[in-house]
């Protein structure tokens, strides 16, 4: 627990996590407010559409998580960390716990904040969380944010460079997965096994507007799949960090 | 000319332009090759399909151009630069020019490379560049990369931080501009005037009812970039290095 | 006690540390000397478990650093004063280190006062001068009240006031009976602080022992002699195969104890006006020993006879 407390102090004693948290929460909720306030009656507002912009928050969380570890390498504090805690696995897992928890909290704030702001702007819309699916697509955002943070930390530990890690994460999640679908014949089959596609399937927010396809996994199956990939990347990263010179 | 030479040396003596080149060209042309290899069916491969990967190259260019200036701030070499060349506007313009030229060259190689790779690997296609529109859609990539690099340099000068500049650029291009379209009623109209949507019109086939034609779209993109660059140069000249 | 046996570190093809074995005795100040690039920092990083030795081993009180429980309570170190997040306050930097070491929060303020940073504790470390950063680094090293302390070039780049402060601090730590292992490329600096020396060049051990032995063994001893019968004495010495250099109204006798010269003179009834053993400076000794192992040579030295 003292390691977790140390990492908590470390994270919150610099400005960037605060800024990231603020932007990660404000951007999607602001967007949701725009969606609700500009929408006429022709397009009904659903629980799913209130979550249309949470990808913005997730992108910022990726940046925050990557920064949390890459700045340690950049400023050399990783050496102090490993001096104080030579068991690198524990030190890095403590950091993961802190960053992941923060990401989960931000995710829930984004999800319920977006949902609440839409309800407030459009009280007449049917936004009650009636079904388990409704709950999954709102409350599930926290889980996705947390696992995204795990993945981003893993990439950050491996790459060690802020610019590289941030660029890699953003370009991969926002562009590369989408480009894969453009490969004829095999593109779609590959795409449905890519991690961020899996994460989107769990929340059930498909912004592409395409008819649902026959997917190999259920929403919870996709979450588990995303979790396995995130944890695998982190595991490889921690093993690497444990072996190499700090 | 001396300034340009100085900036050229500075850029090419670090690693980032080299891996940017490898990534931008490798992934772009690689994707076109895959498209060409996997393509079959009755419909011939289109020019658009060969150019999918240039989107990825564009992101690499944005990152590379932003880093070219933010790393100067990070390692404080910007002070050495401004000591050597007290006219900051001239120094930064020289840097912008060098980065933009590299980006333009990379854009042309990426675009024609992708086109050639798809043409060689795909059967059942001719992919001839016959019309002026065809040429614009391939050769235009170089212009887009060049201008986009200028925009990224401008954002880099304004933000001065690698992580910040890269995040702002990438999240804007890949997420914000797309999400704007989701806003009911006004979203689509606003989206027409966003800079990278304009780029898509220039590299695509806009219909006759588009708000701007292809070349006007490029001019608009260049205009937005120019405004950002002027703002960046103005603030760099005023603030402490 | 720090014990290194056969410590070796390769970076690709470069051999940074080459089969280095030495001991740092408990309760003494040991200087770690070598020219820049000799492998001092690499060795220190291996002591702290930050870099993995290619081969060989280094232990602190018989244990690997990685096996120490709450290591900051056993070993404190200052390797690079700039290893702090520029946007984190000095106090926050020490607070997380204290947390990770299970130390009470008041210990943070104690060490801050100890190094004289109490008044700027809430300022961001990025705005600190080098001297202040160095003090913060020392505060971090002392946080766990460790018996063993490692400092890598602690006076590098400091102004005279800062150097004096660090030097006094080292003396104080030594007086408290702590084991101090401090690296430097300046021998004169070490002569003021250290009792023992470990000298390396190009990653290899050159000398291990006390400072005084080092000076005695490594310096070329000459004796300055003045006498009214200088020529006769010089001839007698030369006849015994002793090297003599004439120097105005005196001669310098190499590698012969002053007592032997005195006895020789007495046997031949020669009056001596002066018989003065000359000790070579530490710097000369150091350069003589490490001269061949300086990594980046300036080729301007005369060949030695």
């Amino acid at each position: 627990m003292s390691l977790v407390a140390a990492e908590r102090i470390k994270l919150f004693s610099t400005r960037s996590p605060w800024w990231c948290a603020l932007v990660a929460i404000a951007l999607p909720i602001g967007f949701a407010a725009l969606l609700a306030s500009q929408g006429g009656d022709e397009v009904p507002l659903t629980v799913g559409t209130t979550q249309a912009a949470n990808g913005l928050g997730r992108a910022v969380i990726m940046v925050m998580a990557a920064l949390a570890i890459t700045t340690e390498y950049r400023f050399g504090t990783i050496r102090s960390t490993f001096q104080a805690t030579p068991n690198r696995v524990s030190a890095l897992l403590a950091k993961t716990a802190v960053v992941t928890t923060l990401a989960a909290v931000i995710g829930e704030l984004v999800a319920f904040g977006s949902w609440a702001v839409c309800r407030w702007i459009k009280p007449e819309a049917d936004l009650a969380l009636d079904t388990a699916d409704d709950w999954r697509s709102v409350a599930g955002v926290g889980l996705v944010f947390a696992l995204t943070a795990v993945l981003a930390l893993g990439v950050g530990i491996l790459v060690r460079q802020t610019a590289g890690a941030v660029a890699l994460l953003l370009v991969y999640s926002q562009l590369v997965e989408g480009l894969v679908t453009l490969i004829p014949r095999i593109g779609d089959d590959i795409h449905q096994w890519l991690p961020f596609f899996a994460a989107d399937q769990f929340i059930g927010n498909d912004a592409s507007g395409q008819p649902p396809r026959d997917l190999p996994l259920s929403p919870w199956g996709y979450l588990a799949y995303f979790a396995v990939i995130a944890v695998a990347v982190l595991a490889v990263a921690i093993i690497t960090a444990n072996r190499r010179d700090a | 000319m001396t300034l340009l030479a100085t900036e050229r040396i500075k850029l090419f003596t670090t690693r980032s332009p080299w891996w940017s080149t490898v990534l931008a060209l490798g992934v772009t042309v690689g994707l076109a090759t895959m498209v060409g290899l996997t393509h079959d069916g009755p419909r011939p491969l289109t020019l658009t399909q060969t150019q999918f990967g240039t989107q990825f190259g564009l992101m690499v260019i944005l990152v590379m151009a932003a880093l070219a200036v933010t790393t100067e701030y990070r390692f404080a070499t910007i002070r050495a630069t401004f000591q050597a060349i007290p006219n900051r506007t001239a120094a930064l313009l020289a840097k912008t020019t060098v980065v933009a030229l590299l980006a333009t060259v990379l854009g042309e190689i990426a675009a024609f490379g992708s086109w050639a790779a798809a043409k060689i690997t795909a059967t059942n296609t001719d992919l001839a560049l016959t019309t002026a529109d065809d040429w614009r859609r391939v050769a235009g990539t170089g212009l887009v990369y060049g201008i986009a690099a200028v925009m990224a340099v401008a954002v880099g000068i304004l933000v001065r931080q690698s992580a910040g500049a890269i995040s702002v650029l990438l999240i804007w291009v890949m997420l914000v501009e797309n999400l704007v379209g989701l806003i009911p009623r006004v979203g689509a109209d606003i989206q027409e005037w966003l800079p990278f949507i304009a780029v898509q019109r220039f590299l695509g086939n806009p219909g006759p009812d588009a708000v701007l034609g292809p070349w006007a779209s490029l001019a608009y993109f260049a205009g937005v970039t120019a405004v950002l660059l002027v703002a960046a140069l103005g603030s760099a000249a005023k603030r402490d290095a | 006690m720090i014990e290194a046996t056969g410590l070796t570190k390769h970076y690709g093809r470069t051999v940074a540390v080459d089969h280095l074995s030495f001991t740092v005795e408990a309760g003494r100040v040991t200087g770690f000397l070598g020219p820049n690039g000799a492998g001092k920092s690499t060795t220190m990083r291996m002591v702290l478990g930050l870099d993995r030795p290619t081969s060989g081993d280094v232990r602190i009180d018989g244990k690997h650093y990685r096996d120490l429980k709450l290591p900051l309570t056993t070993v404190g170190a200052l390797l690079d004063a700039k290893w702090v997040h520029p946007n984190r306050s000095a106090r926050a930097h020490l607070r997380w280190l204290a947390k990770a070491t299970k130390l009470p929060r008041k210990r943070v303020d104690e060490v801050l006062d100890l190094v004289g940073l109490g008044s700027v504790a809430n300022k961001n470390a990025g705005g600190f001068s080098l001297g202040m950063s160095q003090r913060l680094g020392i505060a971090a090293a002392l946080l766990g009240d460790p018996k063993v302390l490692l400092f890598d070039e602690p006076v590098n780049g400091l102004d005279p006031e800062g150097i004096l402060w660090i030097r006094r601090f080292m003396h104080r730590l030594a007086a408290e009976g702590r084991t101090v292992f401090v690296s430097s490329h300046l021998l004169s600096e070490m002569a003021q602080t250290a009792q023992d020396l470990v000298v390396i060049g190009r990653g290899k051990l050159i000398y291990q022992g006390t400072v005084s032995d080092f000076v005695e063994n490594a310096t070329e001893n000459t004796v300055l002699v003045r006498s009214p019968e200088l020529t006769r004495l010089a001839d007698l010495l030369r006849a015994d195969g002793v090297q003599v250099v004439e120097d105005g109204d005196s001669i310098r006798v190499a590698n012969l104890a002053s007592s032997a010269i005195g006895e020789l003179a007495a046997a031949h009834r020669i009056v001596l006006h002066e018989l003065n053993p000359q000790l070579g400076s530490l710097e000369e000794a150091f350069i003589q020993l490490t001269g061949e192992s300086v990594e980046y040579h300036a080729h301007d030295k005369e060949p030695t006879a």
Side-chain angles (χ1 to χ4, degrees):
Chain A
M1 273 329 278
S2 59
L3 289 186
V4 172
E7 290 296 336
R8 184 177 45 78
I9 295 170
K10 224 191 272 181
L11 187 66
F12 290 113
S13 57
T14 61
R15 276 173 312 180
S16 74
W18 294 102
W19 276 110
C20 288
L22 193 70
V23 173
I25 295 168
L27 272 186
I29 294 181
F31 229 95
L34 269 177
L35 289 181
S37 60
Q38 295 302 314
D41 297 327
E42 66 276 16
V43 193
L45 198 60
T46 64
V47 171
T49 47
T50 65
Q51 301 301 316
N54 67 40
L56 265 178
R58 196 181 61 188
V60 178
I61 289 300
M62 268 190 250
V63 175
M64 181 201 74
L67 278 175
I69 181 68
T70 54
T71 50
E72 286 232 36
Y73 280 102
R74 172 170 162 195
F75 298 119
T77 53
I78 193 75
R79 291 167 181 129
S80 308
T81 302
F82 290 160
Q83 252 178 63
T85 317
N87 183 342
R88 298 183 184 181
V89 178
S90 316
L92 292 171
L93 283 180
K95 182 182 288 295
T96 309
V98 172
V99 175
T100 305
T101 307
L102 176 65
V105 170
I106 293 174
E108 297 303 346
L109 286 174
V110 165
F112 284 98
S114 302
W115 173 77
V117 78
C118 289
R119 250 184 104 116
W120 177 65
I121 291 169
K122 275 257 163 70
E124 70 279 11
D126 175 24
L127 294 178
L129 300 176
D130 294 326
T131 64
D133 285 353
D134 289 341
W135 277 100
R136 170 169 49 78
S137 66
V138 179
V141 172
L143 289 174
V144 168
F145 275 35
L147 290 171
T148 302
V150 171
L151 184 66
L153 278 170
V155 172
I157 295 170
L158 286 170
V159 177
R160 287 189 278 186
Q161 267 216 329
T162 305
V166 167
L168 180 67
L169 285 162
L170 287 178
V171 173
Y172 175 78
S173 65
Q174 307 304 330
L175 186 71
V176 174
E177 287 206 357
L179 285 180
V180 168
T181 60
L182 301 175
I183 301 171
R185 284 189 302 159
I186 55 171
D188 280 341
D189 294 337
I190 300 174
H191 190 231
Q192 57 196 11
W193 291 105
L194 296 179
F196 288 95
F197 175 82
D200 284 341
Q201 296 317 302
F202 171 68
I203 300 181
N205 118 52
D206 197 356
S208 67
Q210 286 167 350
R213 287 176 288 161
D214 275 341
L215 293 171
L217 294 175
S218 69
W220 284 98
Y222 264 126
L223 182 77
Y225 179 73
F226 183 52
V228 166
I229 290 180
V231 170
V233 170
L234 182 71
V236 169
I238 290 181
I239 292 168
T240 311
N242 205 27
R243 289 216 179 126
R244 72 184 166 205
D245 296 339
Chain B
M1 276 329 280
T2 329
L3 288 187
L4 289 181
T6 312
E7 291 298 333
R8 181 177 50 74
I9 294 165
K10 240 194 269 177
L11 186 64
F12 287 103
T13 44
T14 60
R15 273 178 315 177
S16 102
W18 298 108
W19 60 249
S20 300
T21 304
V22 171
L23 259 183
L25 299 184
V27 174
T28 308
V29 178
L31 204 68
T33 313
M34 273 192 85
V35 168
L37 287 173
T38 51
H39 173 78
D40 68 0
R43 289 173 53 196
L45 198 61
T46 63
L47 200 54
T48 315
Q49 280 175 296
T50 69
Q51 299 294 311
F52 282 148
T54 55
Q55 269 280 328
F56 177 86
L58 180 61
M59 302 306 144
V60 177
I61 292 299
L62 290 175
V63 172
M64 187 260 301
L67 282 180
V69 54
T70 55
T71 50
E72 284 234 31
Y73 280 99
R74 171 172 164 195
F75 301 115
T77 50
I78 195 79
R79 296 193 185 120
T81 303
F82 288 160
Q83 263 171 46
I85 307 135
N87 182 346
R88 299 185 182 182
T89 304
L92 290 171
L93 276 178
K95 178 182 288 299
T96 312
T97 309
V98 170
V99 175
L101 281 177
L102 173 67
T104 306
V105 172
L106 287 180
E108 296 303 351
I109 302 175
F112 283 98
S114 297
W115 170 77
K119 195 175 160 74
I120 294 164
T121 51
T123 49
N124 174 23
T125 187
D126 68 338
L127 287 180
L129 298 177
T130 41
T131 65
D133 279 349
D134 290 346
W135 278 98
R136 165 173 54 79
R137 290 170 58 199
V138 178
T141 301
L143 294 176
V144 168
Y145 279 20
I147 299 170
V150 175
M151 181 182 277
V153 167
V155 172
I157 295 173
L158 286 169
V159 178
R160 287 187 280 183
Q161 266 215 326
S162 300
I166 292 173
S167 304
V168 166
L169 282 163
L170 294 183
I171 292 179
W172 173 267
V173 178
M174 297 186 296
L175 267 165
V176 177
E177 290 208 354
N178 291 326
L179 282 173
V180 167
L182 294 180
I183 302 171
R185 287 185 304 182
V186 293
D189 295 336
I190 300 173
Q191 204 177 22
E192 295 292 325
W193 294 97
L194 297 179
F196 288 87
I197 300 293
V199 166
Q200 283 180 20
R201 275 200 304 273
F202 172 65
L203 292 177
N205 267 334
D209 50 351
V211 287
L212 290 174
W215 286 101
S217 294
L218 183 75
Y220 177 73
F221 180 54
V224 172
T225 301
V227 170
L228 273 174
L229 183 65
V230 169
L233 293 176
S235 88
K238 264 190 224 150
R239 72 187 166 206
D240 297 336
Chain C
M1 191 166 95
I2 304 169
E3 255 180 314
T5 42
L7 205 56
T8 304
K9 180 71 187 178
H10 296 219
Y11 293 108
R13 287 181 152 189
T14 321
V15 181
V17 176
D18 194 358
H19 295 93
L20 188 60
S21 302
F22 62 87
T23 32
V24 176
E25 296 296 335
R28 291 169 75 88
V29 180
T30 302
F32 191 25
L33 269 174
N36 287 326
K40 301 187 297 290
S41 301
T42 308
T43 305
M44 288 204 154
R45 283 205 301 272
M46 287 192 284
V47 174
L48 296 172
L50 293 173
D51 284 12
R52 215 171 259 268
T54 308
S55 66
D57 197 33
V58 58
R59 290 165 187 261
I60 298 151
D61 292 335
K63 284 184 183 162
H64 287 129
Y65 188 88
R66 282 193 176 210
D67 298 328
L68 294 173
K69 216 168 179 267
L70 302 179
L72 294 194
T73 58
T74 309
V75 186
L78 167 60
L79 295 196
D80 187 331
K82 284 289 165 195
W83 287 349
V84 287
H85 194 299
N87 291 330
R88 189 177 283 136
S89 72
R91 175 173 280 131
H93 177 69
L94 296 175
R95 268 190 61 213
W96 74 258
L97 279 169
K99 254 308 178 222
T101 314
K102 299 190 175 149
L103 297 168
R105 202 173 160 160
K106 67 175 195 322
R107 180 65 188 155
V108 168
D109 292 313
E110 280 172 27
V111 290
L112 279 169
D113 287 337
L114 194 64
V115 299
L117 287 179
S119 56
V120 291
N122 291 325
K123 294 247 160 57
N124 282 351
F128 281 10
S129 67
L130 182 61
M132 287 160 85
S133 301
Q134 214 84 356
R135 285 167 186 241
L136 178 58
I138 289 179
L142 293 175
L143 195 61
D145 195 21
K147 281 273 163 290
V148 181
L149 285 154
L150 267 66
F151 299 103
D152 193 6
E153 301 269 3
V155 300
N156 233 9
L158 288 186
D159 55 14
E161 197 192 349
I163 292 175
L164 195 65
W165 186 85
I166 297 259
R167 201 181 282 157
R168 284 192 183 147
F169 214 92
M170 299 268 163
H171 283 302
R172 188 168 144 192
L173 294 172
E176 288 167 3
R178 296 178 209 261
T179 307
V180 182
F181 189 42
V182 53
S183 82
S184 177
H185 62 281
L186 299 172
L187 185 64
S188 53
E189 186 54 43
M190 285 300 86
Q192 313 234 19
T193 356
Q195 297 148 298
D196 293 341
L197 278 183
V198 172
V199 184
I200 66 168
R202 284 204 187 167
K204 287 193 171 112
L205 184 71
I206 290 177
Y207 174 83
Q208 154 133 46
T210 63
V211 174
S212 48
D213 280 354
F214 177 74
V215 174
E216 233 165 76
N217 293 340
T219 51
E220 191 186 351
N221 287 309
T222 59
V223 180
L224 183 94
V225 184
R226 289 204 302 129
S227 162
E229 293 172 89
L230 208 54
T231 329
R232 207 179 130 218
L233 181 62
D235 289 342
L236 281 168
L237 286 164
R238 284 199 184 99
D240 283 355
V242 176
Q243 200 186 337
V244 176
V245 179
E246 278 170 48
D247 189 6
D249 62 342
S250 63
I251 54 169
R252 286 170 182 276
V253 183
N255 298 321
L256 191 66
S258 49
S259 53
I261 301 170
E263 278 159 20
L264 184 78
H268 294 87
R269 307 184 65 79
I270 295 173
V271 175
L272 291 183
H273 287 168
E274 187 176 352
L275 187 60
N276 189 5
Q278 308 279 297
L279 276 187
S281 77
L282 284 171
E283 244 64 42
E284 278 170 23
F286 180 46
I287 288 168
Q288 202 181 330
L289 267 184
T290 59
E292 298 125 48
S293 41
V294 174
E295 177 122 35
Y296 306 104
H297 241 293
H299 293 281
D300 56 2
K301 279 204 315 192
E302 286 173 19
T304 40

